[in-house]
Amino acid sequence: MMSQMPQPTALSRCPSCEEPLEPGDRFCGACGFDLSAVPAPPRDTPTITMNGDAPRPPSEVPSVDWPVAPERGSSGTPAPVHLPSDIPGTDSAGSELPDPQSPAGPAPGRGAEVPDAGGESAGVRFDRPAEPDEYPLAPPGSAPADPRTADLAPPPAGTKLCVACRAGHVDRDGYCENCGHAQPRERDHMEQELAAVAAVSDRGLRHHRNEDAFTLSSTALPDGSPAVVAIVCDGVSSATRPDEASLAASRAAGEALLESLPLGTHPQQAMHEAIVAASNAVNALAEEPGPAREQTPHQNAPACTLVGAVVTTSLLTVGWVGDSRAYWVPADRSAPPARLTEDDSWAAQMVAAGLMNEAEAYADERAHAITGWLGADAYELEPHVASFKPDRPGVVVVCTDGLWNYAEAAEHMADVVPLDAGDRPLHSAQVLVGHALDGGGHDNVTVAVMPFPAPSQRAGSA
């Protein structure tokens, strides 16, 4: 039987050994491969397959009998325009749509229901009720009250109202039971004003708590003249419980002065005794039971610094331990101001020994290392006390280093004290604390402003 003759191949290389082929070769000259066994290449089509779908063969694509656009008339006028509503149509079920011009009703989309295949309403409406021109306000009492403006019921006795939502009560841990907001600590910012003295204390911008404390009071001397007292203490942050130390010291010193001054004790001696009482109060904080000290061997004794002032009608007395300071700022700013205390610090020792000048000493990183403080582990208690007799009115600024770090020299301190400080001590203390916060607020800030002389017409105990 005669077989079908193979057609000449169009290959350029042998599929078996890749040797070049000549046109018309039926066998490979190198390996003898039968070139007629190679299937013919598929016929190429220009259709591109998209998204994995095979193209439909041309014969299977249905033809569309598109209408021919009407030609312009001989007069050149355009063909008439037909609106969509002029063309009859059917709905999705195949039923004819009603004629919009007929009285049967409007077409769908104009407030009618679409009929289904059986002629009944399909239940889908395209209309909606008309909206009112005005909406009535809710009757009083139906909407929840705004806690910022509403008259809320007072909190139960012994509880406080949240400063954030003004609605919830504060629990014992200091959090709001309504919104969970942590409440500011009582000592984060404190202000107090008496007749002739005012003080402000602030946590500052960097510390997590306020470790400063102050005490203000006034009393009368045996002759009936007034005596005004301000005590400012700064807790030593490297010690244990510095906030408790400063609070205990300020209270003890203030109470001691209120006891001794009315008895006729000289303010200078009274101040010395007050500092000793403050030291004893701080030392008592370290007197813990033996087991407690054994469980916390890494803790050291609480410690703080102290500066205080007593102002009478003719005498100004200051006392201090540590690096908290007192400044004198005269009401007449043409007169020179003065710093009334000397720091118990490394920098002050370097200056006193003549090893450095003030600029060099206070620029050193060891400048604020204190050499004197109140506490059980202090080297030796050495209260510093001095008295002055100013010849003109002015104010005494008693402060922690949280303020004088931003106004160290007496001239600089005088520049930031308001001119009306003698008449507005609280405002002046607020301004001075603001000056420290504007400068960075790196430490707790506490300042007391005391007008001199103490005004007799405003004397009274507190």
Side-chain angles (χ1 to χ4, degrees):
M1 186 173 77
M2 189 181 247
S3 65
Q4 185 179 4
M5 295 295 294
Q7 299 295 325
T9 180
L11 299 175
S12 60
R13 290 182 176 274
C14 173
S16 177
C17 65
E18 294 294 331
E19 286 292 322
L21 301 176
E22 296 292 338
D25 286 348
R26 296 174 181 169
F27 297 92
C28 176
C31 66
F33 183 83
D34 186 3
L35 300 177
S36 62
V38 179
R43 186 172 57 185
D44 188 20
T45 59
T47 304
I48 300 176
T49 301
M50 301 295 291
N51 299 328
D53 297 331
R56 181 183 300 178
S59 60
E60 298 181 9
V61 178
S63 60
V64 179
D65 187 13
W66 297 103
V68 180
E71 297 180 358
R72 292 176 176 268
S74 58
S75 60
T77 58
V81 177
H82 295 279
L83 300 176
S85 58
D86 298 336
I87 303 175
T90 59
D91 60 15
S92 59
S95 303
E96 292 186 0
L97 297 175
D99 185 358
Q101 305 298 331
S102 68
R110 301 182 183 178
E113 296 185 357
V114 179
D116 58 12
E120 299 180 357
S121 173
V124 179
R125 297 187 61 85
F126 291 89
D127 60 343
R128 62 181 180 180
E131 296 182 359
D133 295 334
E134 296 181 358
Y135 290 91
L137 297 176
S142 62
D146 187 345
R148 298 169 296 178
T149 58
D151 294 331
L152 301 174
T159 62
K160 296 187 298 183
L161 205 61
C162 175
V163 300
C165 69
R166 305 301 301 170
H169 299 152
V170 179
D171 61 20
R172 294 182 178 178
D173 295 330
Y175 292 87
C176 176
E177 296 176 346
N178 179 49
C179 67
H181 187 88
Q183 305 302 296
R185 296 181 180 91
E186 183 179 359
R187 291 177 62 177
D188 281 357
H189 185 87
M190 300 178 293
E191 297 186 2
Q192 185 181 3
E193 182 179 27
L194 300 182
V197 61
V200 176
S201 181
D202 192 89
R203 177 170 60 94
L205 305 179
R206 303 295 181 90
H207 277 228
H208 68 285
R209 64 180 176 184
N210 189 359
E211 297 169 355
D212 290 355
F214 67 84
T215 294
L216 305 181
S217 58
S218 62
T219 187
L221 301 177
D223 61 357
S225 61
V228 182
V229 175
I231 302 293
V232 171
C233 295
D234 183 358
V236 178
S237 297
S238 59
T240 302
R241 294 149 57 198
D243 53 333
E244 298 181 28
S246 62
L247 184 61
S250 63
R251 288 178 175 177
E255 292 171 358
L257 288 167
L258 286 181
E259 291 178 3
S260 59
L261 289 173
L263 298 178
T265 306
H266 190 280
Q268 193 163 338
Q269 178 64 28
M271 179 63 72
H272 184 278
E273 295 174 356
I275 295 176
V276 173
S279 176
N280 294 335
V282 178
N283 293 347
L285 296 177
E287 296 176 0
E288 297 180 342
R293 292 195 299 269
E294 293 174 1
Q295 294 174 3
T296 56
H298 62 283
Q299 294 186 354
N300 50 10
C304 69
T305 68
L306 181 148
V307 62
V310 176
V311 173
T312 67
T313 55
S314 60
L315 191 67
L316 163 60
T317 301
V318 295
W320 73 97
V321 174
D323 63 347
S324 294
R325 294 180 177 181
Y327 291 84
W328 164 252
V329 179
D332 179 7
R333 297 303 170 88
S334 62
R339 196 177 89 194
L340 306 178
T341 58
E342 293 292 337
D343 299 341
D344 289 323
S345 67
W346 180 92
Q349 284 190 346
M350 294 297 103
V351 175
L355 300 177
M356 292 183 178
N357 59 38
E358 280 201 1
E360 295 172 341
Y362 283 100
D364 193 282
E365 59 182 6
R366 298 165 291 181
H368 291 278
I370 58 175
T371 58
W373 62 88
L374 304 182
D377 59 354
Y379 301 127
E380 184 179 357
L381 178 61
E382 295 183 4
H384 308 287
V385 182
S387 292
F388 306 89
K389 291 185 177 181
D391 60 353
R392 66 195 68 203
V395 294
V396 182
V397 177
V398 184
C399 64
T400 62
D401 61 345
L403 170 62
W404 66 254
N405 277 332
Y406 301 98
E408 184 174 342
E411 293 75 15
H412 191 183
M413 182 65 72
D415 289 341
V416 296
V417 172
L419 296 176
D420 59 352
D423 298 324
R424 303 172 64 192
L426 178 59
H427 172 260
S428 300
Q430 294 168 338
V431 169
L432 292 172
V433 170
H435 174 76
L437 297 180
D438 292 342
H442 288 76
D443 200 354
N444 305 146
V445 189
T446 302
V447 56
V449 177
M450 311 174 68
F452 177 89
S456 57
Q457 68 272 16
R458 289 186 271 177
S461 60

